[in-house]
Amino acid sequence: MTPNFPQVWLDATGLYSALPSDGSLGAVMVGGDPVVIQGDDAAKGCPQVTKTPCAGVQAFGHRDMEARGSAAKERVEFTLFTFGTVKDASTLVKDLAEHERKKSAENGEPAKPVTVDAGADETEAMQDGDHVEVVMRIGEVVAHLHASDTKLGNVTYAAKVQIARVKSVSNGVNPDR
């Protein structure tokens, strides 16, 4: 018998806590303050950020992180979206991945699919040169990672950290404790 766990969902405060913090990706990655947008602002902002309809979005948050030091160029942008239903979240995964594929094709050679297994319910990942896009869904939360100048293994690690943080916060656990 499979236990019936509650669906993974986060409110705006949860999104803020689930975004990676300094130190959560090791001592190398640091970033600015997370930004979270909710309600009507999220409904208006999400389509501008993702170039997709974003039906049912309730809030989204964003944080840029980069490798410490001026010589390093490694960078990962984390964006989390929360929806009222799994169906709306799943639609964003498909729409956002398709948008990223089209954008890549317009800029030259189309992105190639890559495998990123981070423990999400649904994952779309692609690589275009030194850029990697990962769009994942866990319950009613969508995580989008945009990485540049970093190895696929590091992106997979960042994706696993992001999913673990979403699960922790969804279960009422502070991921930074």
Side-chain angles (χ1 to χ4, degrees):
M1 185 165 152
T2 304
N4 190 10
F5 293 111
Q7 191 59 262
V8 174
W9 181 85
L10 299 175
D11 61 10
T13 302
L15 284 180
Y16 186 90
S17 299
L19 286 163
S21 60
D22 286 353
S24 64
L25 295 170
V28 175
M29 298 297 280
V30 295
D33 291 333
V35 175
V36 176
I37 299 167
Q38 60 186 330
D40 289 342
D41 290 336
K44 292 175 190 163
C46 182
Q48 293 171 350
V49 170
T50 65
K51 309 298 184 229
T52 70
C54 291
V57 70
Q58 296 178 346
F60 69 95
H62 182 82
R63 183 159 197 225
D64 289 343
M65 297 188 82
E66 54 194 30
R68 188 185 307 267
S70 58
K73 293 183 180 176
E74 288 181 281
R75 178 181 180 83
V76 182
E77 296 178 35
F78 296 87
T79 310
L80 292 176
F81 306 87
T82 193
F83 290 85
T85 68
V86 168
K87 182 177 183 236
D88 287 342
S90 189
T91 298
L92 179 66
V93 170
K94 291 172 183 59
D95 290 351
L96 187 52
E98 185 58 28
H99 168 72
E100 293 298 341
R101 277 192 281 279
K102 284 181 180 174
K103 189 167 77 173
S104 172
E106 289 169 4
N107 292 334
E109 201 169 310
K112 294 175 178 41
V114 292
T115 300
V116 173
D117 185 2
D121 297 329
E122 195 175 347
T123 303
E124 296 257 0
M126 65 208 79
Q127 185 168 7
D128 178 0
D130 62 356
H131 296 279
V132 179
E133 302 287 339
V134 183
V135 185
M136 305 173 289
R137 179 187 63 78
I138 177 140
E140 296 164 344
V141 177
V142 174
H144 177 212
L145 279 67
H146 170 81
S148 55
D149 295 314
T150 188
K151 295 181 178 94
L152 184 58
N154 293 341
V155 175
T156 299
Y157 176 74
K160 286 179 180 180
V161 168
Q162 181 62 92
I163 294 300
R165 290 180 68 86
V166 168
K167 286 180 178 179
S168 290
V169 173
S170 170
N171 289 319
V173 177
N174 177 351
D176 293 318
R177 64 173 168 80

